[in-house]
Amino acid sequence: MQNDSDRFFALTGGPGSGKTTLIEALKAAGFATAPEAGRGIIRDQMAIGGPALPWQDRALFAELMLSWEMRSWHAAHAEPGPVFFDRGVPDTIGYLRLCGLPVLSHIMSAATTFRYVRRVFIAPPWPQIFTQDEERKQTPDEAERTFQAVAGAYAELGYELVSLPLAPVEERVRFVLDAAGLSRT
């Protein structure tokens, strides 16, 4: 596998903290992005009446998240420059721990194999923008616990967490690009 840890940037955090909005703004600025696994899996599973939903079969949902994230990582190799990921493989570990489920060896192996830039951007809980919807059923408390779980997973894997400011998306884009040593395209 090619080592792209110098151009694959992961953005993580709890639900409802502005990650996807930031990813969309980075995409609009001309950067390659990889969408979040969770929402895509939930949409697909709901459309087909599938069981891999976080409120139905959390372990199966986690396996599909892992598969999605590895596929996104491989697909990103086709991009010539930096790629911003809406979550990454280590998020699966955080999710499993949040749910009290075991982190099986193949999942830990994936997290040590599919690497990102060492500095990972993390969106802290932001109650003022948090909302629930058909796909995001978590409470603000669960969002906070998710934040803690994914932060712990990334830190354990040797990543340096860079906290995003609670600021408008344009300011967050500037912050991320400055911290990543990139300029707007």
Side-chain angles (χ1 to χ4, degrees), residues 99-123:
C99 298
L101 296 171
V103 177
L104 302 175
S105 62
H106 72 282
I107 296 170
M108 191 57 76
S109 177
T112 59
T113 302
F114 296 86
R115 301 290 293 182
Y116 305 88
V117 171
R118 188 174 169 278
R119 297 183 84 202
V120 169
F121 297 99
I122 188 162

Side-chain angles (χ1 to χ4, degrees), residues 112-155:
T112 59
T113 302
F114 296 86
R115 301 290 293 182
Y116 305 88
V117 171
R118 188 174 169 278
R119 297 183 84 202
V120 169
F121 297 99
I122 188 162
W126 195 351
Q128 292 79 5
I129 67 167
F130 180 87
T131 59
Q132 293 174 307
D133 58 35
E134 276 293 306
E135 297 158 5
R136 182 187 298 131
K137 297 178 183 277
Q138 300 97 331
T139 64
D141 177 65
E142 190 174 3
E144 168 72 35
R145 289 184 290 119
T146 302
F147 168 81
Q148 296 299 334
V150 297
Y154 277 93

Side-chain angles (χ1 to χ4, degrees), residues 72-85:
S72 292
W73 191 92
H74 282 296
H77 284 90
E79 298 296 336
V83 181
F84 290 94
F85 291 77

Side-chain angles (χ1 to χ4, degrees), residues 21-181:
T21 300
L22 175 56
I23 287 286
E24 290 301 319
L26 287 163
K27 184 177 183 177
F31 291 96
T33 62
E36 178 187 8
R39 280 189 176 268
I41 292 166
I42 290 169
R43 266 192 302 275
D44 289 348
Q45 290 293 302
M46 288 175 69
I48 65 169
L53 295 164
W55 51 87
Q56 194 167 338
D57 187 336
R58 289 178 167 202
L60 184 55
F61 179 70
E63 287 292 343
L64 290 186
M65 281 196 312
L66 176 64
S67 179
W68 178 299
E69 296 299 356
M70 291 187 303
R71 177 76 178 99
S72 292
W73 191 92
H74 282 296
H77 284 90
E79 298 296 336
V83 181
F84 290 94
F85 291 77
D86 191 341
R87 300 196 177 278
V89 172
D91 283 84
T92 305
I93 295 170
Y95 176 75
L96 288 166
R97 289 182 177 157
L98 174 73
C99 298
L101 296 171
V103 177
L104 302 175
S105 62
H106 72 282
I107 296 170
M108 191 57 76
S109 177
T112 59
T113 302
F114 296 86
R115 301 290 293 182
Y116 305 88
V117 171
R118 188 174 169 278
R119 297 183 84 202
V120 169
F121 297 99
I122 188 162
W126 195 351
Q128 292 79 5
I129 67 167
F130 180 87
T131 59
Q132 293 174 307
D133 58 35
E134 276 293 306
E135 297 158 5
R136 182 187 298 131
K137 297 178 183 277
Q138 300 97 331
T139 64
D141 177 65
E142 190 174 3
E144 168 72 35
R145 289 184 290 119
T146 302
F147 168 81
Q148 296 299 334
V150 297
Y154 277 93
E156 176 186 318
L157 290 162
Y159 290 99
E160 173 192 343
L161 297 170
V162 178
S163 187
L164 295 172
L166 301 181
V169 68
E170 299 80 16
E171 188 176 325
R172 279 184 157 189
V173 167
R174 281 192 301 275
F175 178 86
V176 166
L177 296 179
D178 288 347

